[in-house]
Amino acid sequence: MKHRSTVHSPQLTARLLAGLLSLALLSGCNLGSKKSGWGGSGGNGGGFKPVVVGRDDLQITVLATGNVQPHNQLAIKPPISGRIEKLLIQEGDYVRKGQVLAQLSSTERATLLDAARAQGATALSHWEDLYTATPLLSPEYGQIVYLPTVPGQIVSQSDSIMTMSDHLIVNTQVDETDLAQIKMGQVATITLDAYPSEPIEGTVRRISYQSTLVNNVTTYEVDVWPTKVPSHMRSGMTANVVFNVSEKDNVLVVPSEAIQQRGDQATVLMAGSKPGDKPTPQPIQTGITDGKETEVISGLKEGDKILIKTFSAGAVAVSQTGSNPFMPNARPGGGGGGGNRGGGGGR
């Protein structure tokens, strides 16, 4: 039995494809013209999304990153060259001014004690009482944050045998565009990357006058002092700081995307009493905004229905090209292109 195949002429194939494309376009137009209340499509595949005006808490903040570091860091050096006999503190200890941190022997005393030690305990005790060690005193109140030395180590007067700091702070870099919102004494919240679930309260204690260029961005140093330094806070830790700029509770808000600016006047689209009613512009007075929501001072009341204009992908394509994206682009001159296809314009 032979198989039968049908071969269409090129003209018939082109007519079939054109017919299918026309049906698809007509179907798309019909779908785009249907309306379903406020969410229906309007014109070029767009529509409206209804929103009920309500109340919410707004908080305006500025976010910056920084590092934990001592406010003042002091390298402690021995008063004499010699040997460390005893260390009376440990790394992390808080010390007071004038407290004895270590005992040192000068080079001569260390040599004498080594010789006495070889003679026995009695001789060593005699010379230790007769030739006392030199104490190393704390110059300030603070915390020992670095202690790289051990008893028996030989040191010189130029060696730093320990480091102390007076207070741990967070040094941040704030973009110049946000600097106007940062004030002295402003409340901030510190979050350490190592302890994200344990926020620390702090206040702004310093805003630098000299800018710094970081990745081609002009920034200013802002120091934030923790109200209470937790025991787990360490120098060098990475921290995120949220500066509280403004805060309002239980205020009337609308989505920021619903607001249209006409000159100096902000407006929103009010929904009609019926789904088919045409939306009307409503002037409003706005307050603070966090980017997503904006405070409404006047012009609306709680429970009002406003509309947000939505756009489909087809509508955006039509608005950008000025034609239906499914149709071929017209050539310059318009009629010339049609003439070529019809055979009249090209002759």
Side-chain angles (χ1 to χ4, degrees), residues 131-173:
Y131 197 167
T132 58
T134 302
L136 174 64
L137 305 181
S138 172
E140 290 292 341
Y141 295 91
Q143 183 185 27
I144 304 300
V145 295
Y146 185 54
L147 185 60
T149 51
V150 295
Q153 184 173 336
I154 302 300
V155 295
S156 67
Q157 288 181 281
S158 61
D159 294 333
S160 174
I161 61 175
M162 63 184 70
T163 304
M164 68 180 300
S165 67
D166 56 352
H167 193 83
L168 289 178
I169 64 172
V170 178
N171 177 261
T172 67
Q173 301 286 339

Side-chain angles (χ1 to χ4, degrees), residues 1-187:
M1 184 177 181
K2 297 182 179 179
H3 294 280
R4 181 179 296 176
S5 60
T6 304
V7 179
H8 299 288
S9 65
Q11 292 82 359
L12 180 58
T13 303
R15 290 172 183 172
L16 289 173
L17 291 175
L20 291 174
L21 181 59
S22 299
L23 288 174
L25 291 174
L26 288 172
S27 299
C29 293
N30 290 335
L31 290 173
S33 63
K34 292 179 180 179
K35 294 183 179 181
S36 176
W38 289 301
S41 181
N44 297 325
F48 294 103
K49 179 175 69 175
V51 174
V52 178
V53 179
R55 294 185 174 274
D56 201 355
D57 299 337
L58 284 182
Q59 185 179 40
I60 314 302
T61 60
V62 172
L63 176 64
T65 59
N67 294 97
V68 179
Q69 64 183 38
H71 177 240
N72 289 312
Q73 186 167 293
L74 181 62
I76 300 177
K77 299 180 179 181
I80 60 172
S81 298
R83 182 173 66 198
I84 299 176
E85 298 292 349
K86 291 181 181 180
L87 287 173
L88 305 178
I89 45 87
Q90 295 180 347
E91 190 173 283
D93 286 352
Y94 287 90
V95 298
R96 64 183 184 278
K97 186 174 182 178
Q99 180 178 336
V100 179
L101 306 178
Q103 292 181 346
L104 302 95
S105 291
S106 63
T107 303
E108 295 80 5
R109 183 178 188 271
T111 303
L112 181 62
L113 292 182
D114 289 345
R117 188 175 289 107
Q119 296 176 6
T122 303
L124 177 61
S125 177
H126 170 74
W127 286 108
E128 283 181 336
D129 294 337
L130 187 64
Y131 197 167
T132 58
T134 302
L136 174 64
L137 305 181
S138 172
E140 290 292 341
Y141 295 91
Q143 183 185 27
I144 304 300
V145 295
Y146 185 54
L147 185 60
T149 51
V150 295
Q153 184 173 336
I154 302 300
V155 295
S156 67
Q157 288 181 281
S158 61
D159 294 333
S160 174
I161 61 175
M162 63 184 70
T163 304
M164 68 180 300
S165 67
D166 56 352
H167 193 83
L168 289 178
I169 64 172
V170 178
N171 177 261
T172 67
Q173 301 286 339
V174 176
D175 191 291
E176 64 174 334
T177 58
D178 296 324
L179 191 66
Q181 303 184 74
I182 308 300
K183 309 295 181 184
M184 293 292 291
Q186 188 171 350
V187 177

